[in-house]
Amino acid sequence: MLAPIALLALVPPALVSAKSKTISVDFSAYDPTNHTVEGFLANYSLIINSYTVDSSGDPFSRTYTASNVDISDGYLTLKVSGGTQNGSSVPSAAIQTNDTNIRYGTFKTTAIASNVSGVCHGFFTYENDCQESDIEILTSHFTTGNARINPGLQLTNQATNCNSSDNTRDAIPYPQDPTTAEHEYTLEWSKKASKFYFDDALIATMDTNVPSAPSSFLWNSWSSGNPNWTSGPPTQDSILRISRIDINYKTSSAQHSANTALSLVALATLLSWASTFL
């Protein structure tokens, strides 16, 4: 006879519980004599993005390139190159988690923002434009805005109905200058809400348009020249400096849905068979 505990051992892990994962990176530990930047990041299940985002109505497209990602003087640096000419793509930088099936967690980034205007720094969950929760720093709008942008730290849950006019968003005045010292930017993503922290102080809670889809977490720095968002592009190099990344999250089995369905069928068959011996 198979005992219930033995049957449980045959259940696929994805059907029992989600997996938890912690990634903590201190970029001062980077030694270029032992690792490439790409190799060091890979040790922490992080990857460098390389692709182009079309302009889609913005003045400029942007190209995420590995050459704009570096680790120097104890910081991961994400650079937006200065001096992009009309008709060219803005060289930008981004990294992300290797896991694309993150579903809820806490994501802390310790960083110094660039004081060069014309750039957006982002720390955010992403599955698509309708499943996204953002912390964004607009270097043209620390203390001044325009008709479309309120100044401050930009916090957003993108509209799950894919209508950007329904986004849940806020702009929070910076408690301290983000360009002169390290500060912690934290997103706490749960089923019920996205909570945002600056230096461990809660600054906003959003319980509408909370993403629910398995996602990646990304860090980027970019410009599209759009006067209603990034402005720019920058006339000189604009560099985001990240000293630490500390994230703890759970992964969903959703990306393995086909295998999970087959496992459920197999499990039902197994249980039916086993019941004849009980």
Side-chain angles (χ1 to χ4, degrees):
M1 182 194 312
L2 288 175
I5 190 66
L7 289 174
L8 183 60
L10 298 174
V11 178
L15 302 181
V16 178
S17 64
K19 293 182 179 179
S20 295
K21 188 168 185 176
T22 297
I23 298 175
S24 293
V25 190
D26 178 352
F27 289 101
S28 68
Y30 173 68
D31 182 351
T33 64
N34 293 328
H35 297 283
T36 62
V37 171
E38 183 178 19
F40 181 82
L41 293 172
N43 286 341
Y44 295 95
S45 299
L46 301 172
I47 58 177
I48 297 173
N49 291 157
S50 297
Y51 59 89
T52 295
V53 177
D54 293 336
S55 59
S56 299
D58 289 333
F60 293 84
S61 62
R62 58 188 183 273
T63 298
Y64 295 108
T65 175
S67 61
N68 276 24
V69 178
D70 199 3
I71 302 175
S72 177
D73 298 325
Y75 292 94
L76 170 71
T77 60
L78 302 181
K79 179 175 71 174
V80 179
S81 301
T84 301
Q85 301 300 305
N86 289 335
S88 298
S89 188
V90 182
S92 301
I95 68 167
Q96 70 170 74
T97 57
N98 190 53
D99 286 325
T100 60
N101 61 334
I102 295 171
R103 197 157 180 259
Y104 311 132
T106 299
F107 310 86
K108 178 184 289 187
T109 303
T110 305
I112 303 175
S114 173
N115 61 4
V116 176
S117 63
V119 165
C120 175
H121 305 321
F123 320 128
F124 59 105
T125 70
Y126 188 82
E127 199 280 331
N128 58 45
D129 291 346
C130 316
Q131 289 284 322
E132 178 179 354
S133 188
D134 302 292
I135 297 174
E136 292 171 293
I137 299 170
L138 301 180
T139 64
S140 289
H141 299 290
F142 291 123
T143 58
T144 59
N146 60 29
R148 296 287 298 274
I149 303 172
N150 291 323
L153 184 62
Q154 307 294 315
L155 310 174
T156 311
N157 279 348
Q158 302 291 339
T160 56
N161 65 4
C162 302
N163 183 348
S164 61
S165 64
D166 292 332
N167 288 352
T168 304
R169 64 185 313 157
D170 203 353
I172 305 297
Y174 289 94
Q176 297 184 57
D177 187 340
T179 68
T180 57
E182 294 180 6
H183 293 286
E184 297 172 349
Y185 303 86
T186 304
L187 167 62
E188 184 181 287
W189 174 34
S190 69
K191 183 177 181 179
K192 294 182 178 180
S194 300
K195 294 184 177 182
F196 302 90
Y197 299 79
F198 183 93
D199 287 343
D200 290 330
L202 180 65
I203 55 174
T205 298
M206 297 179 180
D207 58 8
T208 57
N209 288 314
V210 180
S212 59
S215 303
S216 304
F217 195 87
L218 291 85
W219 299 259
N220 67 13
S221 194
W222 59 280
S223 182
S224 66
N226 187 332
N228 293 321
W229 193 245
T230 66
S231 295
T235 57
Q236 59 183 294
D237 290 352
S238 182
I239 300 174
L240 168 66
R241 292 175 170 82
I242 299 175
S243 64
R244 289 191 62 90
I245 288 171
D246 295 283
I247 61 179
N248 181 273
Y249 59 84
K250 291 185 177 181
T251 54
S252 164
S253 59
Q255 66 180 7
H256 306 297
S257 56
N259 290 335
T260 299
L262 291 173
S263 297
L264 284 169
V265 172
L267 179 61
T269 302
L270 174 63
L271 292 174
S272 176
W273 169 81
S275 67
T276 63
F277 295 91
L278 298 178

